[in-house]
Amino acid sequence: MKTAATSAEWCDANQAYLVTEFARLKLRLGAEHDEHTIAVRLEEAHAALPAPAAIDTLSELFGLSAFERDLLLLVAGVEMDAELGRVCAAALGHSQAPRPQATFGLALAALEHSHWSALAAMGPLRRWRLLEVDDSAGLVNGRLRIDERVLHYLAGVNYLDPRLQPLLSLVPAPQIMGEKHRH
């Protein structure tokens, strides 16, 4: 049974894990960081999680590859970590850009295990609308955007998507139920 204390502990640990994941991505994009220190911090942050991190749960549920996982983290990181946004802008040659962005081309060049199918329309990232592409600049150079609901979930804020609210209704609990089902 989860308690408020456990939930708060997980939320803090999940956010600490996200921060170290963002540091790992900054390193992949050429930021000046100590690779060994980041690896140690990542292991420590992962070990401190009382339950799987939100990104790991999401990756498992949607069957994301390692590259798709990192791509999702990269796009989330641009929104959540100003330094990662600056590193992405610098890597794209847009150091004065008003709004930092992540692109598929940047991810293909910088992240490990890259594959073209990650942004296929029927791939999990776009099929389930975890990411969207502003393709006015083309698929490779278009700005990637993360769904707001997904961004909040990664940050540890879990709520029912408001777009689904009108489609759902409360079903009363059954009056008669076997003990095993009730448990």
Side-chain angles (χ1 to χ4, degrees), residues 157-172:
V157 180
N158 195 9
Y159 59 89
L160 180 63
D161 191 325
R163 295 170 289 193
L164 295 177
Q165 198 91 31
L167 304 173
L168 303 175
S169 60
L170 187 61
V171 176

Side-chain angles (χ1 to χ4, degrees), residues 95-155:
S95 58
Q96 301 301 324
R99 190 166 80 188
Q101 64 184 30
T103 67
F104 189 48
L106 176 64
L108 283 171
L111 301 179
E112 295 178 318
H113 312 294
S114 61
H115 56 92
W116 270 96
S117 61
L119 269 195
M122 291 311 295
L125 292 175
R126 290 185 58 205
R127 179 179 187 201
W128 301 111
R129 297 188 180 214
L130 304 175
L131 291 182
E132 293 187 16
V133 183
D134 175 6
D135 58 3
S136 61
L139 181 65
V140 174
N141 296 317
R143 178 177 183 260
L144 296 175
R145 292 183 314 269
I146 188 169
D147 182 81
E148 181 181 357
R149 168 72 181 92
V150 175
L151 181 68
H152 289 158
Y153 178 80
L154 291 176

Side-chain angles (χ1 to χ4, degrees), residues 8-98:
E9 177 187 347
W10 175 85
C11 193
D12 290 343
N14 182 67
Q15 289 184 7
Y17 184 66
L18 270 180
V19 168
T20 57
E21 284 282 14
F22 295 156
R24 181 182 61 83
L25 291 173
K26 289 177 219 173
L27 182 68
R28 294 288 312 157
L29 292 165
E32 298 293 325
H33 290 289
D34 178 27
E35 188 173 353
H36 177 70
T37 302
I38 290 173
V40 169
R41 286 183 188 162
L42 194 57
E43 283 182 31
E44 290 171 349
H46 190 266
L49 285 161
I55 184 62
D56 295 333
T57 300
L58 197 72
S59 295
E60 184 179 326
L61 289 172
F62 289 99
L64 302 182
S65 68
F67 175 67
E68 290 165 332
R69 178 188 184 276
D70 282 351
L71 180 57
L72 189 61
L73 278 173
L74 180 65
V75 178
V78 168
E79 297 288 336
M80 299 171 82
D81 184 322
E83 183 185 352
L84 183 55
R86 285 190 294 276
V87 171
C88 284
L92 288 167
H94 305 132
S95 58
Q96 301 301 324

